[in-house]
Amino acid sequence: MALEERNCPYCKQQLTPWEAPPETWWGIILVCNNNECSYYVGSNCSITNKRDDSRLGTRYAEDPANNYQAFNLLSWCPF
Ligand SMILES: [Zn+2]
């Protein structure tokens, strides 16, 4: 499948193709991997996983298999 080149609407960085784990059914998705992205920083990693105190943020992502629909990708915070 040919992927379009897409850019994050928040930080303008090119989205990076990422192969999601098989159990998610997402296949290849496009993710903004910019740690400075306002979308990611704005999610402020305030979601606390009660079980192990891990912090999660949300990255901007698009699903090529679903007409490049935008969605939130939960991601570990880099700190
Ligand atoms: Zn971004």
Side-chain angles (χ1 to χ4, degrees):
M1 181 169 65
L3 293 173
E4 288 180 33
E5 289 197 355
R6 307 278 294 183
N7 289 82
C8 176
Y10 296 89
C11 66
K12 309 302 180 197
Q13 180 160 304
Q14 191 173 327
L15 299 177
T16 308
W18 180 69
E19 187 168 7
E23 63 267 24
T24 63
W25 301 91
W26 293 340
I28 304 287
I29 58 173
L30 295 174
V31 184
C32 173
N33 272 318
N34 182 4
N35 287 335
E36 308 295 313
C37 179
S38 62
Y39 188 84
Y40 182 56
V41 172
S43 73
N44 73 28
C45 301
S46 62
I47 303 166
T48 303
N49 186 321
K50 300 233 177 355
R51 277 172 300 168
D52 60 7
D53 254 8
S54 298
R55 296 207 247 191
L56 294 170
T58 50
R59 291 186 187 277
Y60 179 82
E62 294 182 351
D63 184 1
N66 195 14
N67 212 15
Y68 293 91
Q69 189 172 1
F71 68 101
N72 292 329
L73 177 68
L74 273 179
S75 168
W76 303 111
C77 285
F79 49 84

